Amino acid sequence: MTTRRSLAGLLLGCASLMTAGQLLAAGQALAADKVTLRTNWLLYGSHSIFFLGIDKGYYEKQGIDLVVKQGNGSSNAVRLVANKDSTFAYASASTMLNLAAQGAPVISVATIDATGTDAVLVNPDSGIAKFKDLEGKKVLTTAGAGVNTLFPVAAQNAGVDASKIQLTNVAESALVQSYLQGLAPAMLGGMDDKPAEIKANGGKQPVIFNYADYGVYQPGYAIVASKEMVRDNPDLVRRFVKATLQAVSEAKANPDESIQSLINWSGHVADEKQQAREVLDVTLSILQSPNNKEGRLGLNVPADWDSALDMLKKFKDLKTDQPASAFYTNEFVPAKLD
């Protein structure tokens, strides 16, 4: 009896040393980790990836009970991770970098949209044909939006005096309608979601001044975690990143199924199915940065992060002695997906 008890104690001790991921691999049942993902904005097509991951059981297989919550700007999403309201965020990489350099205890653990989609969207009937034509005009945006961060950089690179452009904040929920009502001839927004929303609401395809066409090279949207989470629970981070990248890969193969998952979880999107698909298509078209020589899904590409940090320091007067590598880690990005 003593021998059996000793053996049982030894086995229990060994199990306690195993990570949750190892126990899952060994087929041992565990209570799922409750995880909250905060999106950058109200739900749109790109977010369907996370719901597809839920429907396909990728998160469940990794021992994760995932809840996706809508956000109200990348800055807010990052802050909610920093203050532990949310476990992870899907947020603008440059916005996260800016906040982290100022002391927010957050870090990118994977990049999803590998290149930026920040842009100025212009009413084609406004007579504005080039970036310079925005001087003296009003441009709509939303306070805290990631697209605001490097607007002055794109403007300067285009030879434009940004101080002559009146950025006007409106609520995110009213941004497109305010633009369509003619409150301003242009707005700031992601070219991944806003053009589709504009067209879905009766507007014309906008003229797009993509920041990337004006020398703004940066990673697009990242999975953000707290530094404390990375330090104290790396196994959960690893499992979340793996499940998310599996979902990304599945969405690439089956985009319509991904959109259906979004509809399953958010009924209002059913009336905007085509719009949601157009948005998702943009994200799926920029999963790889030209600087990603490994072709590794989810990779935080050093050259892109270096560029983003350099621009923030040069054009936004960001003060930091830390290298760009201090704001991301590839520790959790698998070399290949199973």
Side-chain angles (χ1 to χ4, degrees), residues 74-97:
S74 286
S75 293
N76 291 331
V78 170
R79 290 189 177 98
L80 288 172
V81 171
N83 67 26
K84 302 179 184 178
D85 169 273
S86 301
T87 321
F88 298 98
Y90 171 77
S92 161
S94 61
T95 298
M96 187 230 74
L97 197 164

Side-chain angles (χ1 to χ4, degrees), residues 72-83 89 91-108 143-146 149-150 224-225 227 305 308-309 312-313 316 318-320 322 326-327:
N72 186 30
S74 286
S75 293
N76 291 331
V78 170
R79 290 189 177 98
L80 288 172
V81 171
N83 67 26
S92 161
S94 61
T95 298
M96 187 230 74
L97 197 164
N98 190 41
L99 291 171
Q102 295 178 58
V106 293
I107 189 168
S108 169
T149 305
L150 293 176
V224 179
K227 290 185 175 181
W305 284 87
L309 180 59
L312 288 171
K313 291 169 73 173
K316 297 290 289 182
L318 180 65
K319 305 296 185 185
T320 180
Q322 298 183 82
F327 305 106

Side-chain angles (χ1 to χ4, degrees), residues 50-124:
F50 305 109
F51 295 107
L52 181 65
I54 295 173
D55 284 348
K56 285 292 185 180
Y58 294 136
Y59 293 105
E60 182 180 9
K61 289 175 183 176
Q62 293 298 325
I64 292 171
D65 180 6
L66 178 62
V67 174
V68 181
K69 292 187 177 182
Q70 298 184 119
N72 186 30
S74 286
S75 293
N76 291 331
V78 170
R79 290 189 177 98
L80 288 172
V81 171
N83 67 26
K84 302 179 184 178
D85 169 273
S86 301
T87 321
F88 298 98
Y90 171 77
S92 161
S94 61
T95 298
M96 187 230 74
L97 197 164
N98 190 41
L99 291 171
Q102 295 178 58
V106 293
I107 189 168
S108 169
V109 294
T111 295
I112 304 301
D113 304 59
T115 60
T117 60
D118 291 350
V120 184
L121 308 177
V122 180
N123 186 324

